[in-house]
Amino acid sequence: MPGKLTTHVLDTAQGIPAANMEIELWFLTPQNDGRKLLKIVHTNQDGRIDAPLLSEGELEVGVYELIFDVGKYFTAQSIKTPQPHFLDRVPVRFGIADIHAHYHVPLLVSPWSYSTYRGS
């Protein structure tokens, strides 16, 4: 199986996929705690990205971070949320050790909580 990185987001407050959520993908460089922005994407109607965030040949061994803009997403929903948001930009930091593996990093989120795991 070719290596790739994928994600999806589920809105657990409404029981729906989180459509049109902005997600940033960062690579964390070991030198001086540096960060390199790799891309900014938006989820589709299924709460997924239309293509892998990274495909075979793009993956590197190292530490990555996905930043999910949940505050902006919930502002656009019919759910009344406090200002400022309890959750605004949710970072998920994870390591990639095998560039030939599939890393799937989903986010389950409400305005008040979130969870993630390594999916398949």
Side-chain angles (χ1 to χ4, degrees):
M1 174 186 345
K4 63 183 175 181
L5 172 63
T6 57
T7 189
H8 77 272
V9 186
L10 298 175
D11 175 343
T12 59
Q14 300 181 92
I16 60 174
N20 201 35
M21 182 180 291
E22 185 175 285
I23 304 169
E24 297 174 3
L25 172 62
W26 293 83
F27 182 75
L28 288 93
T29 59
Q31 303 84 8
N32 303 323
D33 292 325
R35 298 163 55 87
K36 178 181 175 188
L37 179 62
L38 299 179
K39 59 180 65 174
I40 299 174
V41 296
H42 290 82
T43 56
N44 62 23
Q45 293 298 342
D46 292 326
R48 298 181 180 275
I49 307 303
D50 291 329
L53 290 163
L54 297 174
S55 299
E56 188 172 24
E58 297 176 311
L59 287 174
E60 294 181 46
V61 171
V63 178
Y64 293 79
E65 189 171 68
L66 289 169
I67 300 178
F68 298 86
D69 199 343
V70 301
K72 188 186 300 181
Y73 167 80
F74 282 114
T75 294
Q77 302 303 303
S78 59
I79 297 174
K80 183 161 176 62
T81 58
Q83 297 296 324
H85 298 287
F86 178 69
L87 295 175
D88 190 24
R89 292 170 45 85
V90 173
V92 177
R93 189 172 288 184
F94 58 96
I96 290 183
D98 179 359
I99 62 170
H100 302 292
H102 178 191
Y103 288 82
H104 183 65
V105 184
L107 184 75
L108 290 76
V109 68
S110 81
W112 310 278
S113 67
Y114 67 92
S115 65
T116 189
Y117 55 94
R118 180 171 177 193
S120 57

